[in-house]
Amino acid sequence: MEDEKALALTYAYTALVKTIADSGVISMDHLFSNLAGARAQLERIGEVGAAELLGSLNESLQRI
């Protein structure tokens, strides 16, 4: 059940970001820069698994 919730939230987040980006409200380059910083911070504090998941989400967003 937790995996299903995580997957649903990921898809919802991706749809939200796409909607906001399509509206011209955010810069995708700025978002990707912030996500890279967040991933680096997770790696610095030893949260390698979370960093990898964030990286996967970032890759998914880049495809939209």
Side-chain angles (χ1 to χ4, degrees):
M1 183 70 148
E2 290 300 316
D3 287 342
E4 291 172 342
K5 287 179 184 178
L7 185 58
L9 287 173
T10 298
Y11 271 77
Y13 174 74
T14 301
L16 175 63
V17 169
K18 181 173 180 2
T19 301
I20 293 170
D22 288 349
S23 299
V25 176
I26 63 169
S27 160
M28 292 303 283
D29 289 339
H30 193 226
L31 174 63
F32 294 139
S33 176
N34 286 335
L35 286 171
R39 182 178 181 179
Q41 177 63 23
L42 286 168
E43 289 171 343
R44 276 193 297 276
I45 63 173
E47 294 292 342
V48 178
E52 289 175 2
L53 289 169
L54 186 55
S56 295
L57 177 59
N58 193 13
E59 290 174 14
S60 176
L61 289 172
Q62 288 177 359
R63 286 187 229 120
I64 65 170

